[in-house]
Amino acid sequence: MEAAIPQHLRVVRSHHPGVARTRHPRVRDDYQPPYPSYVARHKPDVKRVVMAYFGLQSRTIDGDVVRVPLAAIAEAFSAEDGPGHWDRASYIDEANFPTVVSIAYWDDPHRFDRWFARHGVNWAGSERPDTPLGFFTEVLRPSIDRYETLFSSTGRPEGVGALADGLSGMVREHAYWGGMRDRIPLSQTDDMAPRGAPRVDGSKKHRRVTPHRNICLIRSGQDWTDTDDEERRLYLQDVEPVLRAGMDFLRDEGLACGCFANRYMQVLGSDGRPVEKSFGMSWWHSLDALDRWSESHPTHVAIFGAAMKYLSRLGPAAKLRLYHEVTVAAEEEQFFEYFNCHPSTGMLRSAN
């Protein structure tokens, strides 16, 4: 059994003279989780990653007016200094706008900066004065100690895990409330509490958001590609509707519990058609707010209960793959820009 935090990021006196761990995990070193899970392992020389969300908002995702910018960003991703991994997903947002998001990851921020200066800076800029579309760019560039990952199985990493050198062996810090925090290396010495307040600047059409310190992002996904007919039926009939209800609650009413914006997204294949993968992606006021919703809110309690019933019925034969990544970002690690978007888009809701 491995510790989720890699050796080179553990804060103990023997490795960091003069620095002691001030916050401790919720479980003992002899804790044995009830099922296996794994985390992404980056090479020790990776100090920071970039998670970039390029969104396209429209009344209807159809026609050349939409295909042209989507093709352009995909082509840009294959250019020099492009991302190490990217994928694409769609959803209908809280204002009933169909939206497509192209999500890209880098493990070298210098490469990202060069790429962004050439290809990304105008995505949500003001060079499209007459467009009927809305464009947004949401970027986090967290240091390696500010995020965590978790995978239910090996062999098919998703999200930022696709940049990793590989996955760990089975880890200890999961399957209990608080495990998410315990897997973030910074939690050893920092409570990661929110500080400050979001600020929205710019014109009605072109706005930038400067959030507060320690904003939290979660991407949490499910992949039922490998399931047989019976397991697929169980997931789509018994689990997915409960998950969707929770995601809809966060989308429509999440501000009351600290969720600025939630997107329940369907992953798209290279041909633009939906595949058997989905994920929720949401911006939170703090890791504490996400923790509270996860641990006690009826919508998440229902999701957890449906998932446990499903997994208990199938046992080790279950082929559903689950993963997530959670990031807590400092002020200087954030960038949010919106052009021609409705006022409830993404972090614009922080001003509501």
Side-chain angles (χ1 to χ4, degrees), residues 13 24 74 81 92 94 116 122 148 160 172-173 181 247 278 301 305 313:
R13 289 188 183 277
H24 300 281
D81 293 318
I92 305 296
E94 52 279 293
F116 191 73
N122 290 321
E148 61 90 14
V160 72
R172 179 180 304 109
E173 296 88 349
R181 181 182 295 271
M247 295 293 96
S278 65
V301 171
R313 176 171 177 175

Side-chain angles (χ1 to χ4, degrees), residues 8-26:
H8 68 285
L9 294 177
R10 291 182 214 161
V11 178
V12 292
R13 289 188 183 277
S14 59
H15 296 288
H16 298 268
V19 178
R21 181 168 189 153
T22 57
R23 304 179 63 84
H24 300 281
R26 287 196 179 185

Side-chain angles (χ1 to χ4, degrees), residues 75-76 83 94 102 125 194-195 212 232 298:
E75 182 178 0
E94 52 279 293
S102 303
R195 296 176 178 86
H212 56 283
R232 184 176 290 107

Side-chain angles (χ1 to χ4, degrees), residues 52-166:
Y53 290 73
F54 299 93
L56 178 63
Q57 182 186 94
S58 174
R59 284 291 183 188
T60 175
I61 298 299
D62 191 24
D64 288 342
V65 70
V66 168
R67 284 194 290 268
V68 169
L70 290 179
I73 194 71
E75 182 178 0
F77 287 154
S78 65
E80 184 179 3
D81 293 318
H85 174 73
W86 72 277
D87 54 15
R88 180 171 281 169
S90 66
Y91 67 104
I92 305 296
D93 76 6
E94 52 279 293
N96 207 35
F97 280 65
T99 306
V100 175
V101 185
S102 303
I103 307 156
Y105 296 87
W106 284 256
D107 60 7
D108 182 341
H110 301 296
R111 284 180 50 234
F112 168 76
D113 288 340
R114 293 191 296 267
W115 179 90
F116 191 73
R118 292 192 298 267
H119 304 285
V121 70
N122 290 321
W123 177 257
S126 55
E127 293 189 351
R128 303 179 177 94
D130 300 318
T131 181
L133 304 174
F135 295 81
F136 60 84
T137 303
E138 300 172 342
V139 180
L140 295 186
R141 44 196 305 151
S143 58
I144 205 76
D145 63 345
R146 280 186 167 269
Y147 72 94
E148 61 90 14
T149 60
L150 195 67
F151 296 86
S152 66
S153 57
T154 60
R156 193 181 299 159
E158 300 279 357
V160 72
L163 302 183
D165 194 39

Side-chain angles (χ1 to χ4, degrees), residues 5-6 9 11 144-147 182-189:
I5 298 175
L9 294 177
V11 178
I144 205 76
D145 63 345
R146 280 186 167 269
Y147 72 94
D182 287 348
R183 292 187 296 272
I184 299 176
L186 187 61
S187 71
Q188 299 168 104
T189 58

